[in-house]
């Protein structure tokens, strides 16, 4: 084993000197897949009578949908869009397929088709929600996957352009499913009309930014696959004709098709319609790509938006490569940042406590000063009153001097003086 190239951050490419055996892994996967079988869920959307059941029965060459019973003229048509599901286990060359076809009777049949797409969108999202709930269970040993792998949308062969209901439906659902638009009952238009109608449909799809499923090639595809993908891409939207009956041609051979006064339309004739290319893309070459796109792109986008809406946040650091030195440096920086934050918080708290203490001390000082001033005023007032009382007391208890004694008149003399005038 020799090293051919490499880098410090990724895996190195090595050249094998001999056969080891892991190149047989695709064969192991093939055997396991054949043993387990496959599942495919297909939704068909279109007006009643446009040929949905006939096309599905023709695609799988089996009676998936039974014949419809004709409704009496007096019967009242159903209102609104109904969602029905039909499953069948079919087998081809030892390969088992669990096919589920979801029909949407009632779509586009009302006079007012506003919000006719809503029940279909809710059904698709409810399947995503059910799968998400199963993923979040503790025991995930048995997960049932009924997500829609593809939607075939039947366009009415008007020959003009897409109708408002066509545009609105595809705009609402193109981010949730693999959308495959087809022109139903293509035998009602001439070749020239079909060519012009396809161009108008693609122009409307591009103008409104609608994403439809298109087979893509990469560097791993061989030239034959690239050529097939290019041919399929040139036929989109597919102009198809369906028929469960066989008609006899002039040479005596029987073919699946429709007989008209002017000739026979053969279902499996690429010169007559695009049925072969539709079946090739849907079943023979791109079935797994349809399932992978549903699982890894459409469902993942829905799941991400759903979890974000529920408040879940992705931690991108979990998916980085682990480097011990870098991890230690990040932990050191995180610890320092944490300590700085704690120090800043403690400083802030200390300053707040000091300010509160200073404010309380200042308030107490002001209260003490006011109290001291009040007590001082009361004491001064009391002192003044005591001084006055002292003076009055001293004045009332002072002894009589000799001068005051001689000058003071006696009682007899007062009497004499009283009567001295008589």
């Amino acid at each position: 084993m020799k090293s051919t190239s490499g880098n410090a951050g990724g895996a190195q490419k090595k050249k094998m000197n001999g056969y080891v055996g892991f190149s047989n892994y695709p064969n192991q996967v093939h055997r396991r897949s054949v043993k387990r079988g496959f599942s495919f869920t297909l939704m068909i959307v279109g007006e009643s009578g446009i040929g949905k059941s006939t096309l599905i029965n023709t695609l799988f060459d089996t009676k998936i949908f039974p014949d419809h019973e004709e409704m009496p003229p007096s019967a009242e048509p159903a209102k609104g869009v109904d969602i029905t599901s039909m499953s069948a286990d079919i087998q081809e060359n030892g390969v088992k397929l669990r096919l589920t076809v979801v029909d949407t009777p009632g779509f586009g049949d009302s006079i007012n088709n506003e919000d006719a797409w809503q029940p279909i969108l809710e059904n698709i999202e409810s399947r995503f929600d059910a799968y998400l709930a199963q993923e979040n269970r503790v025991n995930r040993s048995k997960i049932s996957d009924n997500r829609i792998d593809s939607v075939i949308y039947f366009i009415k062969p008007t020959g003009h352009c897409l109708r408002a209901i066509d545009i609105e439906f595809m705009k609402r659902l193109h981010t949730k499913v693999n959308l495959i638009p087809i022109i139903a009952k293509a035998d009602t238009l001439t070749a020239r009309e079909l060519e012009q109608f396809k161009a108008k449909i693609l122009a409307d799809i591009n103008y409104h930014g609608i994403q439809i499923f298109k087979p893509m090639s990469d560097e791993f595809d061989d030239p034959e696959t690239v050529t097939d993908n290019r041919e399929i891409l040139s036929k989109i939207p597919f102009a198809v004709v369906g028929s469960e009956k066989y008609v006899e041609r002039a040479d005596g051979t029987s073919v699946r098709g429709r007989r008209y006064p002017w000739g026979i339309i053969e279902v499996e004739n690429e010169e007559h319609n695009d049925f072969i290319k539709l079946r090739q893309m849907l079943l023979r070459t791109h079935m797994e790509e349809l399932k992978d796109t549903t699982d890894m792109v459409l469902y993942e986008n829905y799941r991400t938006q759903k979890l974000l809406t529920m408040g879940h946040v992705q931690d991108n650091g979990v998916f980085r490569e682990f480097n011990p030195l870098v991890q230690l440096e990040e932990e050191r920086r995180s610890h320092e940042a944490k300590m700085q934050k704690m120090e800043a918080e403690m400083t802030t708290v200390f300053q707040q406590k000091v300010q509160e203490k200073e404010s309380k001390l200042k308030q107490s000082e002001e209260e003490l000063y006011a109290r001291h001033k009040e007590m001082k005023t009361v004491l001064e007032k009391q002192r003044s009153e005591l001084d006055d009382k002292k003076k009055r007391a001293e004045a009332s208890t002072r002894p009589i001097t000799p001068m005051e004694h001689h000058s003071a008149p006696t009682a007899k003399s007062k009497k004499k003086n009283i009567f001295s005038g008589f």
Side-chain angles (χ1 to χ4, degrees), residues 164-262:
I165 186 175
D166 301 328
I167 296 172
E168 189 65 22
F169 173 84
M170 289 193 284
K171 285 175 63 177
R172 296 286 183 174
L173 271 74
H174 72 113
T175 59
K176 300 293 193 303
V177 291
N178 293 305
L179 195 60
I180 302 177
I182 68 170
I183 302 172
K185 296 185 176 181
D187 51 345
T188 61
L189 300 175
T190 64
R192 178 63 178 168
E193 290 172 339
L194 274 176
E195 184 180 353
Q196 295 176 349
F197 192 31
K198 284 187 175 184
K200 293 176 182 178
I201 291 174
L202 291 176
D204 287 341
I205 287 175
N206 294 330
Y207 177 79
H208 292 283
I210 298 171
Q211 302 173 13
I212 60 176
F213 179 79
K214 296 179 180 179
M216 305 300 294
S217 302
D218 53 36
E219 66 274 12
F220 299 104
D221 292 332
D222 54 57
E224 183 180 355
T225 302
V226 174
T227 302
D228 289 342
N229 288 342
R230 190 179 297 113
E231 291 178 358
I232 292 174
L233 193 59
S234 66
K235 298 296 183 180
I236 297 175
F238 302 99
V240 299
V241 176
S243 177
E244 300 178 59
K245 298 180 180 179
Y246 285 86
V247 296
E248 186 176 345
R249 296 192 299 186
D251 59 1
T253 58
S254 295
V255 294
R256 192 191 299 270
R258 295 178 180 272
R259 182 183 297 278
Y260 294 96
W262 44 264

Side-chain angles (χ1 to χ4, degrees), residues 45-90:
V45 181
E47 299 178 6
S48 298
I50 204 168
K52 301 190 298 293
S53 301
T54 301
L55 180 63
I56 295 301
N57 292 341
T58 308
L59 274 172
F60 295 96
D61 198 16
T62 186
K63 204 76 170 178
I64 303 296
F65 285 97
D67 295 331
H68 292 288
E69 297 181 359
E70 294 186 2
M71 300 293 292
S74 60
E76 184 178 352
K79 295 181 180 180
V81 180
D82 192 17
I83 308 293
T84 61
S85 189
M86 184 77 66
S87 297
D89 293 322
I90 56 181

Side-chain angles (χ1 to χ4, degrees), residues 134-182:
Q134 293 180 90
E135 281 190 328
N136 293 332
R137 292 186 311 192
V138 176
N139 185 2
R140 303 190 304 174
S141 58
K142 294 182 180 180
I143 294 182
S144 176
D145 185 5
N146 65 345
R147 295 171 295 179
I148 302 297
D149 296 312
S150 179
V151 170
I152 298 180
Y153 183 69
F154 290 71
I155 300 174
K156 194 172 183 179
T158 61
H160 302 293
C161 57
L162 290 177
R163 301 170 299 167
I165 186 175
D166 301 328
I167 296 172
E168 189 65 22
F169 173 84
M170 289 193 284
K171 285 175 63 177
R172 296 286 183 174
L173 271 74
H174 72 113
T175 59
K176 300 293 193 303
V177 291
N178 293 305
L179 195 60
I180 302 177
I182 68 170

Side-chain angles (χ1 to χ4, degrees), residues 234-288:
S234 66
K235 298 296 183 180
I236 297 175
F238 302 99
V240 299
V241 176
S243 177
E244 300 178 59
K245 298 180 180 179
Y246 285 86
V247 296
E248 186 176 345
R249 296 192 299 186
D251 59 1
T253 58
S254 295
V255 294
R256 192 191 299 270
R258 295 178 180 272
R259 182 183 297 278
Y260 294 96
W262 44 264
I264 297 175
I265 288 288
E266 298 178 17
V267 173
E268 296 177 304
N269 190 333
E270 294 190 45
E271 295 181 358
H272 293 182
N273 69 100
D274 302 328
F275 174 82
I276 293 293
K277 293 300 181 186
L278 171 63
R279 185 174 63 185
Q280 179 181 349
M281 185 192 76
L282 188 65
L283 304 178
R284 297 182 179 179
T285 59
H286 291 83
M287 177 183 281
E288 183 63 22

Side-chain angles (χ1 to χ4, degrees), residues 330-342:
E330 290 181 355
E331 291 179 356
R332 185 185 64 80
R333 292 176 182 176
S334 176
H335 180 70
E336 289 181 354
K338 185 177 180 180
M339 294 300 296
Q340 291 177 358
K341 182 179 179 181
M342 291 178 61

Side-chain angles (χ1 to χ4, degrees), residues 286-421:
H286 291 83
M287 177 183 281
E288 183 63 22
E289 185 176 345
L290 288 167
K291 293 177 66 66
D292 286 345
T293 303
T294 299
D295 183 44
M296 295 186 293
V297 179
L298 301 173
Y299 169 70
E300 282 300 320
N301 291 339
Y302 178 83
R303 178 179 176 275
T304 299
Q305 294 300 323
K306 186 77 173 182
L307 294 179
L308 289 176
T309 304
M310 295 170 61
H312 296 274
V313 180
Q314 177 67 53
D315 183 9
N316 295 323
V318 176
F319 302 99
R320 291 180 298 178
E321 294 184 359
F322 178 76
N323 188 326
L325 297 178
V326 175
Q327 182 72 15
L328 289 174
E329 181 66 19
E330 290 181 355
E331 291 179 356
R332 185 185 64 80
R333 292 176 182 176
S334 176
H335 180 70
E336 289 181 354
K338 185 177 180 180
M339 294 300 296
Q340 291 177 358
K341 182 179 179 181
M342 291 178 61
E343 184 179 356
E345 291 177 352
M346 292 177 64
T347 302
T348 302
V349 172
F350 177 74
Q351 291 177 350
Q352 290 178 352
K353 294 292 185 180
V354 171
Q355 290 177 357
E356 292 176 0
K357 195 68 175 179
E358 290 179 348
S359 177
K360 289 181 179 180
L361 289 174
K362 186 176 182 181
Q363 183 179 358
S364 299
E365 183 180 359
E366 292 176 351
E367 291 177 355
L368 288 173
Y369 178 77
R371 187 177 177 185
H372 171 74
K373 186 176 180 181
E374 182 182 357
M375 293 179 65
K376 184 178 180 181
T377 303
V378 172
L379 289 173
E380 290 179 350
K381 184 177 180 181
Q382 291 178 354
R383 181 178 179 182
S384 177
E385 292 177 353
L386 289 173
D387 289 341
D388 292 342
K389 288 181 179 181
K390 181 179 179 181
K391 289 178 180 180
R392 288 196 299 270
E394 289 178 349
S396 60
T397 59
R398 186 179 57 182
I400 300 175
T401 60
M403 291 292 296
E404 291 175 343
H405 179 75
H406 289 292
S407 59
T410 61
K412 293 181 178 181
S413 62
K414 288 182 178 178
K415 291 179 180 181
K416 289 180 178 179
N417 288 335
I418 295 171
F419 299 104
S420 62

